[in-house]
Amino acid sequence: MNKTVIVSNRLPVDLKYIENTLVVKSSTGGLATGMKSVHSEGNGIWVGWSGLAEENMNDAQKVEVDNALAVEKCVQVPLTNSDIDNYYYGFSNTALWPLFHYFQAYTEFESSHWQSYVEVNQKFADVVLQQVNDGDTVWVHDYQLLMLPEMLRKKNPTLTIGFFLHIPYPSYELFRTCPWRNELLQGMLGADLIGFHTYDYARHFISSVSRIKGIEVNFNEISYENRIIKVDSFPMGIDYDRYHNAALEHEKYPEDSKSELMKSIDFHNKSNDESKLILSIDRMDYTKGIPNRVKSFEYFLNKYPEYKGKVRLVMLAVPSRENVAQYQLLKRETDELVGRINGDLSTISWTPIWYFYRSLPFDELIDLYVASDVAMVTPVRDGMNLVAKEYIATRTKDTGVLILSEMAGAAKEMHEALIVNPNNFDQIADSLKEALEMPALEQKTRLDALQKRISRYDVERWAGEFLKSLKAAKDTVPVQVAQKLTPSKIKDIATNYKLAKRKLFLLDYDGTLAGFKNNPSDAIPTQELYDLLDKINEDDSTEIAIISGRDRKTLESWFGHKSYTLVTDHGAWLRKVGGEWGVLDQMKSNWKENIRPVLEAFTDSTPGALIEEKEYSLAWHYRKSDNDMAALRTMELKHVLKSLLINNTLSVLDGNKVLEVKNSNINKGRAATRILADTNYDFIFAIGDDWTDEYMFEEVPDSAYTVKVGNIKTAAHYYINYSTEVLPLLRDVTGS
Ligand code: ADQ
């Protein structure tokens, strides 16, 4: 039986020698929880660094560590102190971490660090390769191991390889500053599926791939070395029940078992009827916006002085990467800032900021979450941010407000939080006031929506969805590559056209016979088009079929009076020459009631977008929307739709600047098959520009001339670049 191997920089166990005794503690971190079922399944294992450097252990201890790890189904990658310095603190945390978080000034590109990064990735590869059998699945995690997917694939192409990045992926403009950008992309492209927290990151990655490596990319698929690599977003969740249940338990604590911290909090709460606690929790990292948060709290107290003496910021910072210079600077800056503000504003009975520089045990973390009226999560850049989700999970009494930075990946899903720009002190101060004064009902309404979403998409679901997509990605078969239609090939086609006895043209309309207009209703047929089609149709041995996504009424008004076969609504209706309209596939349309509100919500938040309702489908047009915004929103919408279309009766068609939801049984391929069934054609020419036409290309016989308008992945044999080339092409082929 095939197994799944998880690979991350650190193993999900903490190992320590305390007075020569090995102490092993399993980690309860988000990743470890999410992977629990994957890891415990069958003979699955986890590969990573143990946290203990090679030089710091004697031979007997090394064996002891291996054995202890084996019990936990873990295998270690032995690393030396120099590896840790150069690969981890060096390239990972002074080049990739700042670069990917847009801290370009902190980014150091050191070739010795890079060298070590490659070597250590190779060490990981060697260990993984010893553990796997052909056909196994490997899931690689995070920025420390960007080179690993390719190293694994090179040695064992039978592996199914997934990669997930836990931090942001920066825009192409930033990523391209890295001297080893090519190698890093190459490394990641060894995977079958590359996952990010948000669509923005996925989009940035795709843009880097197409601009730096010049590789063909189609939506979220990269065609590379005869493989299809899928890129998608999987917003990581938390172990919701663990946090929620712990918060419920917390309410039952007897007074005498309370921690010192909790007692101080209770004291604060009792000091004043209006006293409120504002929470701040993070690793001490410059991406988390800690100094800005403290400054904006000071700004708030000065802007709204009525809160002095009543509110308190409890700030918890976990020590992190203390041997990197920028982290030491940040620590000093934070200490000084908190000292200065407390010095300036404190009174005998009130200190505005309680600041702790340490990690807290889980129970005390829950104490803090539960006790806080407001959580301020304002990173300047953050891949996801789990603290925001944990805080929401602990709200068991329908109270509490989350202030969340728009720079955190979590902001993409947590719309009901008060979303702020972490650099805008005025906005943060106003949001704090709004949070502190928010009516109970509004708090509950916002929390209900947030909790519903976060409890549904928890960390286990995240892991499950990733692995499901990974399996599907591996099974995707690359399609053939189309050839550019050259003048000599066109001549060949024209010769065959002349010789043929029964000829058929299957012609898509929008983007093919007619160029795109901002408003679909403006794309009416030109006189030039009518004249050309009539000319072709004069030949009795030639039939024209216009096969379009348009509705029946529109197509009939344009071509109803012509003797062409017409197919509308992507293949729902067919009218043969001289015949009546007939339905190709019956379906109910009651699904529209569920899908329409989703499209409406996206239309509201995407200026320029509009919904078109057709008899058998709903189309969401975004031709008039801003390009970047539309790219993001369509990816989000597709994701939402995908999760809604749980059965196979509906599908989403990616058209040209349009997403269309329709019955899966209806498509242009089935319509083409129906047309072909009645006659024995010896010349078939099919042309179209978007995904809906792919069905047609797939269904017509292999001998047909299939032409894609636009040079993107297609099942057609040939392509031309622009819709303006279509009429000249038809003229050349038919000699009209
Ligand atoms: P991190 O940068 O570590 O993770 P985050 O997602 O917020 O950031 O996770 C921090 C975790 O540490 C939370 O579970 C929190 O409860 C815990 N924690 C914080 N302060 C603590 C304290 N003082 N004591 C004890 N525990 C504390 C990276 C990325 C994120 C991404 C995650 C997961 O930077 O953007 O969300 O990976 O992919």
Side-chain angles (χ1 to χ4, degrees):
M1 195 184 105
N2 289 130
K3 63 176 174 296
T4 300
V5 177
I6 304 157
V7 195
S8 61
N9 174 54
R10 285 296 295 271
L11 287 168
V13 276
D14 276 330
L15 295 185
K16 256 190 216 123
Y17 271 101
I18 301 179
E19 291 170 5
N20 276 333
T21 306
L22 181 63
V23 180
V24 184
K25 232 172 88 189
S26 328
S27 155
T28 47
L31 187 59
T33 312
M35 298 284 111
K36 209 185 290 164
S37 54
V38 184
H39 186 203
S40 56
E41 222 169 63
N43 44 354
I45 49 162
W46 196 314
V47 173
W49 183 48
S50 67
L52 298 167
E54 278 296 274
E55 300 93 320
N56 303 351
M57 291 183 284
N58 58 38
D59 288 348
Q61 286 177 324
K62 284 179 194 164
V63 175
E64 187 181 26
V65 166
D66 278 342
N67 291 340
L69 288 175
V71 175
E72 305 285 331
K73 299 177 78 175
C74 289
V75 177
Q76 65 159 328
V77 179
L79 297 186
T80 63
N81 283 317
S82 147
D83 288 337
I84 300 303
D85 282 347
N86 295 302
Y87 138 85
Y88 181 70
Y89 290 113
F91 197 72
S92 299
N93 286 316
T94 51
L96 293 178
W97 178 270
L99 182 68
F100 281 37
H101 285 89
Y102 293 75
F103 278 78
Q104 202 179 6
Y106 287 8
T107 306
E108 289 169 24
F109 296 123
E110 207 29 89
S111 62
S112 60
H113 289 170
W114 163 248
Q115 223 168 356
S116 168
Y117 184 80
V118 176
E119 280 164 19
V120 172
N121 270 252
Q122 190 58 56
K123 286 189 178 185
F124 273 78
D126 294 343
V127 174
V128 174
L129 288 164
Q130 275 164 19
Q131 299 295 327
V132 291
N133 297 315
D134 286 0
D136 281 351
T137 295
V138 184
W139 184 356
V140 181
H141 289 268
D142 227 359
Y143 65 105
Q144 302 92 347
L145 300 172
L146 297 178
M147 304 298 289
L148 186 55
E150 201 214 2
M151 289 173 169
L152 296 174
R153 176 160 309 280
K154 251 198 201 149
K155 286 278 159 60
N156 191 340
T158 71
L159 297 174
T160 299
I161 304 170
F163 178 83
F164 187 83
L165 188 72
H166 289 261
I167 65 175
Y169 190 91
S171 87
Y172 157 75
E173 283 301 337
L174 215 72
F175 182 72
R176 71 178 175 142
T177 62
C178 177
W180 302 286
R181 59 196 184 186
N182 242 310
E183 290 86 339
L184 290 171
L185 288 179
Q186 183 81 14
M188 293 171 82
L189 290 174
D192 296 293
L193 171 68
I194 302 174
F196 300 90
H197 283 304
T198 74
Y199 286 117
D200 274 344
Y201 309 153
R203 200 164 50 82
H204 288 321
F205 173 73
I206 285 175
S207 143
S208 280
V209 168
S210 73
R211 297 173 79 170
I212 294 172
K213 295 196 74 71
I215 294 174
E216 190 191 341
V217 174
N218 181 24
F219 293 105
N220 66 339
E221 288 183 2
I222 299 171
S223 313
Y224 185 54
E225 292 181 341
N226 227 8
R227 290 188 297 124
I228 298 281
I229 300 153
K230 288 248 162 105
V231 179
D232 215 336
S233 90
F234 303 87
M236 187 173 171
I238 58 164
D239 184 354
Y240 184 89
D241 291 343
R242 177 163 183 254
Y243 285 85
H244 194 73
N245 294 338
L248 289 171
E249 279 303 306
H250 165 100
E251 290 161 19
K252 301 178 198 154
Y253 282 178
E255 197 63 30
D256 54 1
S257 73
K258 284 188 174 173
S259 66
E260 285 309 308
L261 177 68
M262 202 53 224
K263 284 180 193 156
S264 316
I265 291 171
D266 283 352
F267 180 75
H268 161 81
N269 285 340
K270 282 177 197 147
S271 66
N272 185 321
D273 279 353
E274 295 170 290
S275 69
K276 299 253 167 134
L277 271 193
I278 300 165
L279 178 68
S280 150
I281 293 190
D282 345 61
R283 271 187 313 102
M284 180 61 95
D285 195 297
Y286 49 80
T287 61
K288 303 289 181 183
I290 296 170
N292 266 12
R293 193 174 314 150
V294 177
K295 285 184 206 159
S296 63
F297 181 61
E298 180 191 29
Y299 188 89
F300 160 78
L301 290 173
N302 288 327
K303 187 170 179 183
Y304 300 108
E306 64 273 25
Y307 281 101
K308 285 184 183 168
K310 295 176 190 161
V311 298
R312 191 164 263 155
L313 177 67
V314 182
M315 197 168 89
L316 193 67
V318 196
S320 177
R321 302 171 198 164
E322 285 169 296
N323 19 358
V324 176
Q326 306 296 356
Y327 289 74
Q328 294 160 6
L329 282 176
L330 172 71
K331 164 80 168 58
R332 198 176 322 141
E333 184 189 355
T334 309
D335 290 354
E336 286 171 7
L337 205 54
V338 173
R340 199 220 1 107
I341 295 170
N342 276 346
D344 286 352
L345 299 178
S346 290
T347 61
I348 301 172
S349 56
W350 176 71
T351 320
I353 306 172
W354 281 351
Y355 167 44
F356 305 91
Y357 180 62
R358 62 180 162 102
S359 179
L360 272 194
F362 182 72
D363 283 343
E364 292 189 33
L365 196 68
I366 296 295
D367 282 349
L368 256 189
Y369 275 139
V370 169
S372 303
D373 303 282
V374 177
M376 261 180 111
V377 180
T378 56
V380 283
R381 199 64 72 164
D382 211 338
M384 170 53 71
N385 195 295
L386 301 180
V387 170
K389 295 186 172 182
E390 291 167 6
Y391 176 70
I392 294 300
T394 60
R395 313 321 302 157
T396 53
K397 293 188 174 145
D398 295 334
T399 57
V401 182
L402 172 66
I403 295 177
L404 180 59
S405 162
E406 64 188 37
M407 305 298 174
K412 296 273 177 256
E413 322 157 57
M414 303 180 77
H415 312 290
E416 297 82 1
L418 298 181
I419 306 289
V420 295
N421 175 342
N423 303 308
N424 185 339
F425 291 0
D426 253 316
Q427 190 194 21
I428 297 177
D430 293 348
S431 299
L432 262 177
K433 184 169 187 293
E434 186 185 348
L436 293 164
E437 294 172 4
M438 189 179 283
L441 182 63
E442 185 179 346
Q443 293 185 38
K444 177 176 163 27
T445 311
R446 287 174 186 262
L447 285 172
D448 280 351
L450 287 166
Q451 290 188 330
K452 206 165 142 202
R453 198 171 312 122
I454 291 167
S455 59
R456 200 172 47 217
Y457 206 98
D458 67 0
V459 70
E460 244 186 84
R461 167 107 181 252
W462 167 79
E465 302 253 320
F466 184 91
L467 287 172
K468 204 165 71 192
S469 297
L470 177 56
K471 190 174 176 314
K474 181 71 175 182
D475 295 342
T476 309
V477 183
V479 292
Q480 68 189 49
V481 179
Q483 291 171 24
K484 174 102 172 82
L485 210 43
T486 56
S488 78
K489 188 71 220 174
I490 296 171
K491 234 186 220 161
D492 286 352
I493 301 175
T495 308
N496 286 339
Y497 172 78
K498 246 191 223 144
L499 295 173
K501 300 211 163 43
R502 292 296 317 157
K503 307 158 204 173
L504 173 68
F505 283 90
L506 295 164
L507 307 171
D508 166 50
Y509 185 76
D510 291 284
T512 304
L513 293 181
F516 280 109
K517 295 282 183 302
N518 272 342
N519 196 328
S521 62
D522 293 340
I524 50 172
T526 59
Q527 194 53 47
E528 185 193 4
L529 173 65
Y530 280 133
D531 290 348
L532 175 61
L533 295 182
D534 284 345
K535 187 101 197 8
I536 298 173
N537 213 33
E538 274 173 11
D539 176 356
D540 284 345
S541 64
T542 303
E543 275 173 48
I544 289 180
I546 296 183
I547 184 161
S548 163
R550 293 280 184 158
D551 61 26
R552 209 156 43 118
K553 209 167 121 216
T554 308
L555 222 65
E556 197 164 46
S557 73
W558 290 343
F559 299 107
H561 56 296
K562 301 283 183 189
S563 47
Y564 313 149
T565 293
L566 299 181
V567 172
T568 69
D569 301 270
H570 297 298
W573 291 90
L574 168 75
R575 195 201 72 176
K576 302 269 292 183
V577 182
E580 290 297 314
W581 283 104
V583 180
L584 275 170
D585 223 315
Q586 282 293 358
M587 67 173 291
K588 291 196 184 101
S589 289
N590 51 2
W591 56 268
K592 284 186 185 168
E593 302 321 309
N594 299 324
I595 301 296
R596 196 183 297 105
V598 178
L599 298 185
E600 281 166 356
F602 274 77
T603 307
D604 288 344
S605 57
T606 315
L610 59 101
I611 300 171
E612 185 190 1
E613 177 146 4
K614 304 187 193 178
E615 208 163 347
Y616 291 107
S617 67
L618 283 173
W620 191 74
H621 292 273
Y622 53 91
R623 180 162 301 281
K624 282 196 279 186
S625 308
D626 169 76
N627 267 348
D628 281 350
M629 152 92 80
L632 172 67
R633 302 300 285 156
T634 45
M635 279 207 268
E636 282 173 353
L637 176 56
K638 266 193 277 180
H639 192 68
V640 173
L641 289 173
K642 228 166 52 187
S643 61
L644 288 172
L645 309 181
I646 25 170
N647 57 29
N648 285 330
T649 56
L650 294 177
S651 61
V652 183
L653 290 183
D654 255 327
N656 199 328
K657 307 275 183 194
V658 58
L659 283 187
E660 191 153 356
V661 185
K662 57 174 267 301
N663 185 313
S664 334
N665 292 328
I666 293 176
N667 66 49
K668 289 184 180 179
R670 287 171 69 109
T673 310
R674 178 69 76 87
I675 296 170
L676 292 168
D678 301 339
T679 314
N680 217 350
Y681 298 99
D682 54 355
F683 177 96
I684 301 167
F685 185 99
I687 186 164
D689 74 306
D690 70 25
W691 272 97
T692 64
D693 300 307
E694 293 296 317
Y695 293 106
M696 170 168 84
F697 298 146
E698 281 164 12
E699 291 300 326
V700 294
D702 205 40
S703 58
Y705 296 105
T706 45
V707 184
K708 175 88 163 185
V709 182
N711 179 14
I712 46 177
K713 199 188 83 183
T714 177
H717 293 310
Y718 303 100
Y719 75 92
I720 54 175
N721 283 321
Y722 306 106
S723 62
T724 48
E725 297 169 49
V726 174
L727 298 196
L729 171 64
L730 290 176
R731 237 175 246 127
D732 288 346
V733 168
T734 59
S736 301

PDB file of all heavy atoms in Angstrom, residues 204-223:
ATOM      1  N   HIS A 204       0.449  35.513  -7.797  1.00  0.00           N
ATOM      2  CA  HIS A 204       1.822  36.036  -7.874  1.00  0.00           C
ATOM      3  C   HIS A 204       2.788  34.940  -8.334  1.00  0.00           C
ATOM      4  O   HIS A 204       3.694  35.191  -9.116  1.00  0.00           O
ATOM      5  CB  HIS A 204       2.288  36.539  -6.503  1.00  0.00           C
ATOM      6  CG  HIS A 204       1.626  37.811  -6.089  1.00  0.00           C
ATOM      7  ND1 HIS A 204       1.375  38.821  -6.970  1.00  0.00           N
ATOM      8  CD2 HIS A 204       1.187  38.252  -4.886  1.00  0.00           C
ATOM      9  CE1 HIS A 204       0.793  39.823  -6.319  1.00  0.00           C
ATOM     10  NE2 HIS A 204       0.660  39.487  -5.068  1.00  0.00           N
ATOM     11  N   PHE A 205       2.564  33.742  -7.825  1.00  0.00           N
ATOM     12  CA  PHE A 205       3.448  32.637  -8.200  1.00  0.00           C
ATOM     13  C   PHE A 205       3.318  32.349  -9.698  1.00  0.00           C
ATOM     14  O   PHE A 205       4.311  32.242 -10.418  1.00  0.00           O
ATOM     15  CB  PHE A 205       3.110  31.388  -7.375  1.00  0.00           C
ATOM     16  CG  PHE A 205       3.858  30.170  -7.821  1.00  0.00           C
ATOM     17  CD1 PHE A 205       5.215  30.037  -7.551  1.00  0.00           C
ATOM     18  CD2 PHE A 205       3.225  29.159  -8.528  1.00  0.00           C
ATOM     19  CE1 PHE A 205       5.929  28.926  -7.977  1.00  0.00           C
ATOM     20  CE2 PHE A 205       3.923  28.042  -8.957  1.00  0.00           C
ATOM     21  CZ  PHE A 205       5.277  27.929  -8.684  1.00  0.00           C
ATOM     22  N   ILE A 206       2.082  32.276 -10.149  1.00  0.00           N
ATOM     23  CA  ILE A 206       1.838  31.978 -11.561  1.00  0.00           C
ATOM     24  C   ILE A 206       2.473  33.058 -12.433  1.00  0.00           C
ATOM     25  O   ILE A 206       3.082  32.785 -13.464  1.00  0.00           O
ATOM     26  CB  ILE A 206       0.316  31.854 -11.814  1.00  0.00           C
ATOM     27  CG1 ILE A 206      -0.157  30.519 -11.249  1.00  0.00           C
ATOM     28  CG2 ILE A 206      -0.014  31.967 -13.287  1.00  0.00           C
ATOM     29  CD1 ILE A 206      -1.641  30.306 -11.305  1.00  0.00           C
ATOM     30  N   SER A 207       2.361  34.300 -11.980  1.00  0.00           N
ATOM     31  CA  SER A 207       2.939  35.380 -12.768  1.00  0.00           C
ATOM     32  C   SER A 207       4.468  35.249 -12.805  1.00  0.00           C
ATOM     33  O   SER A 207       5.092  35.454 -13.844  1.00  0.00           O
ATOM     34  CB  SER A 207       2.453  36.710 -12.190  1.00  0.00           C
ATOM     35  OG  SER A 207       3.421  37.675 -12.236  1.00  0.00           O
ATOM     36  N   SER A 208       5.090  34.874 -11.695  1.00  0.00           N
ATOM     37  CA  SER A 208       6.545  34.660 -11.697  1.00  0.00           C
ATOM     38  C   SER A 208       6.927  33.538 -12.649  1.00  0.00           C
ATOM     39  O   SER A 208       7.896  33.643 -13.389  1.00  0.00           O
ATOM     40  CB  SER A 208       7.040  34.278 -10.297  1.00  0.00           C
ATOM     41  OG  SER A 208       7.166  35.410  -9.507  1.00  0.00           O
ATOM     42  N   VAL A 209       6.150  32.469 -12.617  1.00  0.00           N
ATOM     43  CA  VAL A 209       6.469  31.320 -13.475  1.00  0.00           C
ATOM     44  C   VAL A 209       6.389  31.722 -14.943  1.00  0.00           C
ATOM     45  O   VAL A 209       7.287  31.445 -15.735  1.00  0.00           O
ATOM     46  CB  VAL A 209       5.510  30.136 -13.189  1.00  0.00           C
ATOM     47  CG1 VAL A 209       5.636  29.062 -14.250  1.00  0.00           C
ATOM     48  CG2 VAL A 209       5.815  29.556 -11.824  1.00  0.00           C
ATOM     49  N   SER A 210       5.323  32.446 -15.299  1.00  0.00           N
ATOM     50  CA  SER A 210       5.189  32.741 -16.726  1.00  0.00           C
ATOM     51  C   SER A 210       6.180  33.823 -17.147  1.00  0.00           C
ATOM     52  O   SER A 210       6.686  33.788 -18.258  1.00  0.00           O
ATOM     53  CB  SER A 210       3.746  33.095 -17.086  1.00  0.00           C
ATOM     54  OG  SER A 210       3.440  34.363 -16.611  1.00  0.00           O
ATOM     55  N   ARG A 211       6.519  34.764 -16.259  1.00  0.00           N
ATOM     56  CA  ARG A 211       7.415  35.841 -16.688  1.00  0.00           C
ATOM     57  C   ARG A 211       8.885  35.475 -16.559  1.00  0.00           C
ATOM     58  O   ARG A 211       9.700  35.879 -17.366  1.00  0.00           O
ATOM     59  CB  ARG A 211       7.095  37.109 -15.908  1.00  0.00           C
ATOM     60  CG  ARG A 211       5.669  37.553 -16.224  1.00  0.00           C
ATOM     61  CD  ARG A 211       5.220  38.685 -15.397  1.00  0.00           C
ATOM     62  NE  ARG A 211       5.752  39.945 -15.874  1.00  0.00           N
ATOM     63  CZ  ARG A 211       5.351  41.119 -15.436  1.00  0.00           C
ATOM     64  NH1 ARG A 211       4.406  41.183 -14.522  1.00  0.00           N
ATOM     65  NH2 ARG A 211       5.881  42.229 -15.891  1.00  0.00           N
ATOM     66  N   ILE A 212       9.234  34.732 -15.543  1.00  0.00           N
ATOM     67  CA  ILE A 212      10.650  34.397 -15.361  1.00  0.00           C
ATOM     68  C   ILE A 212      11.021  33.176 -16.195  1.00  0.00           C
ATOM     69  O   ILE A 212      12.053  33.148 -16.840  1.00  0.00           O
ATOM     70  CB  ILE A 212      10.965  34.164 -13.866  1.00  0.00           C
ATOM     71  CG1 ILE A 212      10.804  35.479 -13.103  1.00  0.00           C
ATOM     72  CG2 ILE A 212      12.385  33.602 -13.694  1.00  0.00           C
ATOM     73  CD1 ILE A 212      10.896  35.377 -11.604  1.00  0.00           C
ATOM     74  N   LYS A 213      10.148  32.204 -16.221  1.00  0.00           N
ATOM     75  CA  LYS A 213      10.515  30.979 -16.936  1.00  0.00           C
ATOM     76  C   LYS A 213       9.864  30.865 -18.313  1.00  0.00           C
ATOM     77  O   LYS A 213      10.160  29.948 -19.069  1.00  0.00           O
ATOM     78  CB  LYS A 213      10.160  29.747 -16.082  1.00  0.00           C
ATOM     79  CG  LYS A 213      10.989  29.715 -14.799  1.00  0.00           C
ATOM     80  CD  LYS A 213      10.986  28.382 -14.111  1.00  0.00           C
ATOM     81  CE  LYS A 213      11.802  27.324 -14.764  1.00  0.00           C
ATOM     82  NZ  LYS A 213      13.248  27.508 -14.665  1.00  0.00           N
ATOM     83  N   GLY A 214       8.956  31.806 -18.607  1.00  0.00           N
ATOM     84  CA  GLY A 214       8.320  31.802 -19.921  1.00  0.00           C
ATOM     85  C   GLY A 214       7.521  30.538 -20.189  1.00  0.00           C
ATOM     86  O   GLY A 214       7.382  30.097 -21.324  1.00  0.00           O
ATOM     87  N   ILE A 215       6.995  29.951 -19.118  1.00  0.00           N
ATOM     88  CA  ILE A 215       6.261  28.682 -19.273  1.00  0.00           C
ATOM     89  C   ILE A 215       4.786  28.984 -19.519  1.00  0.00           C
ATOM     90  O   ILE A 215       4.240  29.943 -18.974  1.00  0.00           O
ATOM     91  CB  ILE A 215       6.407  27.838 -17.986  1.00  0.00           C
ATOM     92  CG1 ILE A 215       7.867  27.434 -17.824  1.00  0.00           C
ATOM     93  CG2 ILE A 215       5.513  26.614 -18.018  1.00  0.00           C
ATOM     94  CD1 ILE A 215       8.145  26.723 -16.529  1.00  0.00           C
ATOM     95  N   GLU A 216       4.155  28.142 -20.304  1.00  0.00           N
ATOM     96  CA  GLU A 216       2.742  28.341 -20.593  1.00  0.00           C
ATOM     97  C   GLU A 216       1.881  28.070 -19.355  1.00  0.00           C
ATOM     98  O   GLU A 216       2.021  27.038 -18.696  1.00  0.00           O
ATOM     99  CB  GLU A 216       2.317  27.389 -21.714  1.00  0.00           C
ATOM    100  CG  GLU A 216       0.945  27.708 -22.236  1.00  0.00           C
ATOM    101  CD  GLU A 216       0.427  26.603 -23.147  1.00  0.00           C
ATOM    102  OE1 GLU A 216       1.239  25.806 -23.647  1.00  0.00           O
ATOM    103  OE2 GLU A 216      -0.788  26.546 -23.346  1.00  0.00           O
ATOM    104  N   VAL A 217       1.037  29.035 -19.049  1.00  0.00           N
ATOM    105  CA  VAL A 217       0.182  28.898 -17.879  1.00  0.00           C
ATOM    106  C   VAL A 217      -1.253  29.114 -18.306  1.00  0.00           C
ATOM    107  O   VAL A 217      -1.542  30.009 -19.090  1.00  0.00           O
ATOM    108  CB  VAL A 217       0.558  29.970 -16.828  1.00  0.00           C
ATOM    109  CG1 VAL A 217      -0.402  29.935 -15.665  1.00  0.00           C
ATOM    110  CG2 VAL A 217       1.979  29.774 -16.349  1.00  0.00           C
ATOM    111  N   ASN A 218      -2.133  28.282 -17.827  1.00  0.00           N
ATOM    112  CA  ASN A 218      -3.526  28.431 -18.192  1.00  0.00           C
ATOM    113  C   ASN A 218      -4.354  28.381 -16.917  1.00  0.00           C
ATOM    114  O   ASN A 218      -4.493  27.346 -16.313  1.00  0.00           O
ATOM    115  CB  ASN A 218      -3.913  27.296 -19.131  1.00  0.00           C
ATOM    116  CG  ASN A 218      -5.334  27.402 -19.572  1.00  0.00           C
ATOM    117  OD1 ASN A 218      -5.908  28.493 -19.557  1.00  0.00           O
ATOM    118  ND2 ASN A 218      -5.911  26.282 -19.950  1.00  0.00           N
ATOM    119  N   PHE A 219      -4.906  29.541 -16.544  1.00  0.00           N
ATOM    120  CA  PHE A 219      -5.591  29.678 -15.266  1.00  0.00           C
ATOM    121  C   PHE A 219      -4.680  29.165 -14.154  1.00  0.00           C
ATOM    122  O   PHE A 219      -3.644  29.736 -13.925  1.00  0.00           O
ATOM    123  CB  PHE A 219      -6.950  28.978 -15.285  1.00  0.00           C
ATOM    124  CG  PHE A 219      -7.895  29.662 -16.215  1.00  0.00           C
ATOM    125  CD1 PHE A 219      -8.216  29.118 -17.440  1.00  0.00           C
ATOM    126  CD2 PHE A 219      -8.445  30.894 -15.875  1.00  0.00           C
ATOM    127  CE1 PHE A 219      -9.073  29.769 -18.313  1.00  0.00           C
ATOM    128  CE2 PHE A 219      -9.292  31.553 -16.742  1.00  0.00           C
ATOM    129  CZ  PHE A 219      -9.608  30.992 -17.956  1.00  0.00           C
ATOM    130  N   ASN A 220      -5.077  28.058 -13.536  1.00  0.00           N
ATOM    131  CA  ASN A 220      -4.229  27.600 -12.428  1.00  0.00           C
ATOM    132  C   ASN A 220      -3.452  26.340 -12.803  1.00  0.00           C
ATOM    133  O   ASN A 220      -3.083  25.557 -11.948  1.00  0.00           O
ATOM    134  CB  ASN A 220      -5.067  27.370 -11.161  1.00  0.00           C
ATOM    135  CG  ASN A 220      -6.026  26.232 -11.332  1.00  0.00           C
ATOM    136  OD1 ASN A 220      -6.354  25.867 -12.456  1.00  0.00           O
ATOM    137  ND2 ASN A 220      -6.466  25.644 -10.244  1.00  0.00           N
ATOM    138  N   GLU A 221      -3.202  26.174 -14.078  1.00  0.00           N
ATOM    139  CA  GLU A 221      -2.446  24.999 -14.496  1.00  0.00           C
ATOM    140  C   GLU A 221      -1.194  25.422 -15.260  1.00  0.00           C
ATOM    141  O   GLU A 221      -1.256  26.278 -16.131  1.00  0.00           O
ATOM    142  CB  GLU A 221      -3.297  24.125 -15.422  1.00  0.00           C
ATOM    143  CG  GLU A 221      -4.404  23.411 -14.689  1.00  0.00           C
ATOM    144  CD  GLU A 221      -5.206  22.495 -15.612  1.00  0.00           C
ATOM    145  OE1 GLU A 221      -4.869  22.395 -16.811  1.00  0.00           O
ATOM    146  OE2 GLU A 221      -6.162  21.910 -15.115  1.00  0.00           O
ATOM    147  N   ILE A 222      -0.103  24.804 -14.921  1.00  0.00           N
ATOM    148  CA  ILE A 222       1.156  25.104 -15.592  1.00  0.00           C
ATOM    149  C   ILE A 222       1.543  23.865 -16.396  1.00  0.00           C
ATOM    150  O   ILE A 222       1.634  22.775 -15.833  1.00  0.00           O
ATOM    151  CB  ILE A 222       2.255  25.411 -14.544  1.00  0.00           C
ATOM    152  CG1 ILE A 222       1.857  26.640 -13.720  1.00  0.00           C
ATOM    153  CG2 ILE A 222       3.604  25.618 -15.213  1.00  0.00           C
ATOM    154  CD1 ILE A 222       2.749  26.896 -12.526  1.00  0.00           C
ATOM    155  N   SER A 223       1.736  24.044 -17.690  1.00  0.00           N
ATOM    156  CA  SER A 223       2.159  22.898 -18.504  1.00  0.00           C
ATOM    157  C   SER A 223       3.671  22.932 -18.568  1.00  0.00           C
ATOM    158  O   SER A 223       4.242  23.884 -19.091  1.00  0.00           O
ATOM    159  CB  SER A 223       1.625  22.994 -19.932  1.00  0.00           C
ATOM    160  OG  SER A 223       0.279  23.325 -19.914  1.00  0.00           O
TER     161      SER A 223
END
